[in-house]
């Protein structure tokens, strides 16, 4: 696996405080986030999605859709956790999505998911190439940023 294709677990080992803050941001909205996907011939698209961290991986299930097609065709993504205006910190990750075929991993991730998953859903693992956390109080600007990149945190 190339150094810039880290699982969530790899990210959590390399930057435990940042990964814990990111997981908290994703959990507070029950996995709701915004996903940006790209295409070769057009501008990026933004999509609402539900993500979850299961067994050290960051996953999402998608129906057959434009976002699914973008990820299969290109794979690059950016994901931004929903913000709570009362606590306006922000968290986002970028990387490449990896399609997970039917089998044990898909079954394990789907068990206990936020909604009922059936065979019409495609499972993707979101590999983490970089992450950023912006922390601030409601009346504070600019945020204090903490960044991590797989390409600069090698062994």
């Amino acid at each position: 696996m190339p150094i810039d294709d880290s699982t969530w677990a790899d990210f959590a080992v390399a930057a435990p405080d940042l990964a814990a803050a990111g997981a908290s941001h994703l959990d507070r909205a029950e996995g709701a986030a915004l996903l940006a996907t790209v295409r070769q011939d057009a501008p990026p698209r933004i999509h609402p999605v539900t993500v979850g961290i299961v067994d050290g991986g960051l996953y999402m299930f998608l129906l057959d859709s434009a976002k699914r097609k973008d990820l299969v065709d290109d794979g690059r993504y950016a994901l931004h956790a929903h913000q709570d205006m009362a606590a306006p910190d922000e968290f986002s990750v970028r990387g490449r999505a990896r399609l997970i075929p039917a089998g044990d991993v898909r079954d394990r991730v789907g068990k206990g998911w936020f909604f009922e998953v059936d065979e019409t859903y495609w499972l993707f693992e979101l590999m983490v190439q970089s992450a950023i956390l912006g922390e601030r109080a409601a009346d504070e600007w600019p945020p204090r940023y903490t960044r991590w990149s797989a390409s600069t945190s090698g062994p």
Side-chain angles (χ1 to χ4, degrees), residues 65-88:
S65 61
K67 60 188 159 232
R68 190 231 20 111
K69 183 177 181 340
D70 290 349
L71 292 177
V72 168
D73 290 350
D74 186 286
R76 292 176 294 164
Y77 79 89
L79 182 82
H80 197 287
H82 279 291
Q83 283 184 278
D84 176 354
M85 293 318 292

Side-chain angles (χ1 to χ4, degrees), residues 12-118:
V13 166
D17 293 342
L18 183 55
S24 175
H25 280 75
L26 294 170
D27 286 346
R28 75 179 179 197
E30 296 182 343
L34 293 174
L35 175 76
T37 59
V38 294
R39 305 169 279 166
Q40 294 290 355
D41 61 342
R45 295 191 247 222
I46 306 295
H47 321 267
V49 294
T50 302
V51 298
I53 300 167
V54 179
D55 295 339
L58 178 61
Y59 295 98
M60 71 181 165
F61 282 97
L62 301 177
L63 289 170
D64 197 10
S65 61
K67 60 188 159 232
R68 190 231 20 111
K69 183 177 181 340
D70 290 349
L71 292 177
V72 168
D73 290 350
D74 186 286
R76 292 176 294 164
Y77 79 89
L79 182 82
H80 197 287
H82 279 291
Q83 283 184 278
D84 176 354
M85 293 318 292
D89 293 352
E90 58 185 294
F91 176 76
S92 64
V93 293
R94 292 183 304 163
R96 289 198 176 269
R98 182 172 71 101
L99 182 62
I100 305 297
D104 291 341
V105 172
R106 187 185 186 287
D107 294 344
R108 191 172 57 252
V109 173
K111 192 178 279 187
W113 195 251
F114 300 94
F115 51 81
E116 188 173 334
V117 175
D118 62 29

Side-chain angles (χ1 to χ4, degrees), residues 5-19:
D5 279 344
S6 298
T7 64
W8 185 272
D10 297 332
F11 165 50
V13 166
D17 293 342
L18 183 55

